Amino acid sequence: QVQLVESGGGLVQAGGSLRLSCVASGPSLRTYIMGWFRQAPGKEREFLAAMSWSGDMTYLGESAAGRFTISRDSAKNTVYLQMNNLKADDSAVYYCAADARRSGPWTSSKGPLPDYWGQGTQVTVSS
């Protein structure tokens, strides 16, 4: 069972930056792909970015391209989402996720959802 704990959300002004963290724990962590999603009120959950622990695979969603960066610190079992030039539309609950599949949950908007989820962290961008 993989456990994920997000942190780093909060209130930020438009144009500002935030870095979200996701600490992962559990067996065979290195076999999982780690990713980030977000969900705003009244909207569907949206894929942002995903990467493998080895770094040989990185996916970036359309909403994240150009402003968001995913990275990891394997020694700390932590995955990050660096968000720059934030906009009011970025306000949402951000979720860390993990899944053993290298595609599916990360490559198709109609694909399966990842197997493991964190509790989410709220990001609010004021305009």
Side-chain angles (χ1 to χ4, degrees), residues 78-97:
T78 301
V79 177
Y80 303 100
L81 185 68
Q82 176 69 42
M83 305 186 294
N84 298 325
N85 191 22
L86 286 163
K87 306 173 183 179
D89 286 348
D90 294 319
S91 296
V93 178
Y94 284 69
Y95 296 93
C96 178

Side-chain angles (χ1 to χ4, degrees), residues 2-100:
V2 175
Q3 294 184 328
L4 307 171
V5 179
E6 304 101 330
S7 62
L11 176 64
V12 63
Q13 289 187 336
S17 298
L18 278 178
R19 188 178 77 160
L20 306 182
S21 300
C22 172
V23 179
S25 61
S28 305
L29 271 182
R30 297 298 179 261
T31 64
Y32 289 89
I33 305 301
M34 305 295 299
W36 290 94
F37 289 74
R38 69 183 180 187
Q39 188 166 22
K43 295 186 178 181
E44 293 185 354
R45 193 162 295 194
E46 179 182 23
F47 168 70
L48 296 174
M51 75 180 305
S52 61
W53 287 104
S54 67
D56 69 332
M57 189 212 89
T58 303
Y59 292 127
L60 207 59
E62 290 184 5
S63 297
R67 296 187 298 126
F68 295 180
T69 304
I70 187 170
S71 62
R72 85 286 187 211
D73 184 336
S74 298
K76 296 181 179 179
N77 288 341
T78 301
V79 177
Y80 303 100
L81 185 68
Q82 176 69 42
M83 305 186 294
N84 298 325
N85 191 22
L86 286 163
K87 306 173 183 179
D89 286 348
D90 294 319
S91 296
V93 178
Y94 284 69
Y95 296 93
C96 178
D99 195 282

